[in-house]
Amino acid sequence: MTTTAAPLLEVTGVTMRFGGLTAVNDVSLTVGEGEIIGLIGPNGAGKTTFFNCLTGLYVPTEGAVRYRDVVLPPKPHLVTQAGIARTFQNIRLFANMTVLENVLVGRHTRTKEGIFSAILRGPAYHRAEAESREKAMELLEFTGLAAKADHLARNLPYGEQRKLEIARALASEPGLLLLDEPTAGMNPQETRAAEELVFAIRDKGISILVIEHDMRFIFNLCDRTAVLVQGQKIVEGDRETVQNDERVITAYLGAPLEDSTPAAPEDTK
Ligand SMILES: Nc1ncnc2c1ncn2[C@@H]1O[C@H](COP(=O)(O)OP(=O)(O)OP(=O)(O)O)[C@@H](O)[C@H]1O
Ligand SMILES: [Mg+2]
């Protein structure tokens, strides 16, 4: 995979401290156009915190995040507008809204219709709404959820809720998608289908940065993988580089990487 001179995402020296705890310590990382990059590491290594620093949920103590060569302001809606979308380790859907409505919410950063037009509900509003619904349905087709468009999000099985999170993130028309444990709670068949979905997203021209504990998923998909341990990036490279690195093996307490089991979903992230 070739990368352009200026990477799509360029993270330099990001540090995040919470009081005395340094959750992310001087981490730099790039994602090029069309790349799928993995981020792995033991529980509590700082992976989700790193995502939160990229997406404006946290203001990093130090460091900068550039997207398309522009420094990102640490505000979630501005990050989304700039072209970065994400899913959450702890699924954040509107449980009592339909599947289609959840995707429509994801589109709002890309629709120009303002509040007055929505109140007046003139022709421009109806046109924009019809277009939004059409695009949202396309995304539901793409993620395999079209038949459930009218179901309430909370009634979807867990694996489909994860897919819906991805559909909603795609609705903001990102150039970069951040996935935080997209296969947590999925069975092996769903996990393999999720791999296909990630490749299909990349084939749409969207770059991907993905956190996962499932090593097979990571190494099947990723052009490069970075390993975080106690907030620090200890190694980055292809499958062989990562799997043979002594520090990685030690960090995983000597367990072969192939045998790592996916972590149970948690409620706090
Ligand atoms: N808002 C916060 N305030 C204080 N400490 C925090 C906060 N968010 C995260 N931490 C701490 O930062 C460390 C890294 O947590 P993080 O959730 O980023 O790990 P992770 O690599 O995503 O782990 P997991 O694989 O379990 O999801 C942990 O020690 C966590 O308790
Ligand atoms: Mg996490």
Side-chain angles (χ1 to χ4, degrees):
M1 189 70 45
T2 52
T3 53
T4 50
L8 185 66
L9 179 78
E10 185 167 28
V11 185
T12 25
V14 162
T15 293
M16 185 74 219
R17 288 194 198 96
F18 301 107
L21 174 83
T22 306
V24 176
N25 194 350
D26 194 21
V27 174
S28 298
L29 186 79
T30 61
V31 181
E33 289 280 359
E35 280 193 309
I36 303 177
I37 304 299
L39 187 61
I40 65 171
N43 292 119
K47 304 177 299 294
T48 297
T49 304
F50 183 66
F51 268 21
N52 290 343
C53 289
L54 304 187
T55 51
L57 280 179
Y58 294 159
V59 181
T61 318
E62 284 167 41
V65 183
R66 276 190 184 74
Y67 181 73
R68 296 194 193 280
D69 229 5
V70 175
V71 174
L72 281 179
K75 293 265 194 297
H77 69 285
L78 295 179
V79 171
T80 311
Q81 230 163 47
I84 301 181
R86 74 175 290 179
T87 64
F88 290 89
Q89 183 172 350
N90 175 37
I91 294 174
R92 294 188 186 183
L93 292 169
F94 294 101
N96 290 319
M97 284 168 57
T98 67
V99 166
L100 179 65
E101 284 164 349
N102 269 277
V103 180
L104 286 168
V105 170
R107 258 190 72 75
H108 84 274
T109 48
R110 294 292 171 232
T111 50
K112 289 172 201 71
E113 294 310 304
I115 182 77
F116 288 112
S117 144
I119 292 165
L120 297 171
R121 304 210 164 201
Y125 171 81
H126 287 291
R127 242 191 336 268
E129 198 188 54
E131 195 195 320
S132 276
R133 292 179 88 83
E134 198 177 310
K135 290 221 162 137
M137 278 310 297
E138 278 170 24
L139 284 173
L140 291 180
E141 299 277 355
F142 177 70
T143 48
L145 293 172
K148 300 208 169 166
D150 297 328
H151 293 220
L152 291 183
R154 69 177 147 89
N155 291 336
L156 293 188
Y158 200 69
E160 289 186 344
Q161 292 194 13
R162 290 231 173 257
K163 280 203 242 173
L164 178 53
E165 273 240 317
I166 293 175
R168 186 180 61 178
L170 291 173
S172 69
E173 298 176 9
L176 173 68
L177 178 62
L178 310 181
L179 300 170
D180 195 345
E181 301 199 19
T183 75
M186 284 187 177
N187 65 37
Q189 287 82 357
E190 287 174 320
T191 301
R192 299 288 85 83
E195 278 173 15
E196 294 308 314
L197 181 59
V198 172
F199 278 131
I201 293 167
R202 198 268 307 274
D203 291 345
K204 280 174 174 280
I206 299 167
S207 303
I208 289 151
L209 179 60
V210 55
I211 295 171
E212 249 306 331
H213 286 284
D214 182 334
M215 295 302 157
R216 197 163 128 200
F217 178 89
I218 284 286
F219 292 127
N220 281 348
L221 280 173
C222 297
D223 299 304
R224 278 182 289 127
T225 299
V227 187
L228 278 194
V229 176
Q230 293 178 359
Q232 282 181 304
K233 187 175 88 175
I234 57 166
V235 67
E236 178 183 339
D238 60 13
R239 175 188 194 130
E240 209 169 309
T241 309
V242 169
Q243 279 183 323
N244 294 331
D245 191 283
E246 286 298 326
R247 293 159 300 178
V248 177
I249 295 165
T250 310
Y252 282 91
L253 298 170
L257 289 182
E258 292 300 0
D259 293 345
S260 298
T261 47
E266 290 170 34
D267 284 326
T268 53
K269 290 156 193 173

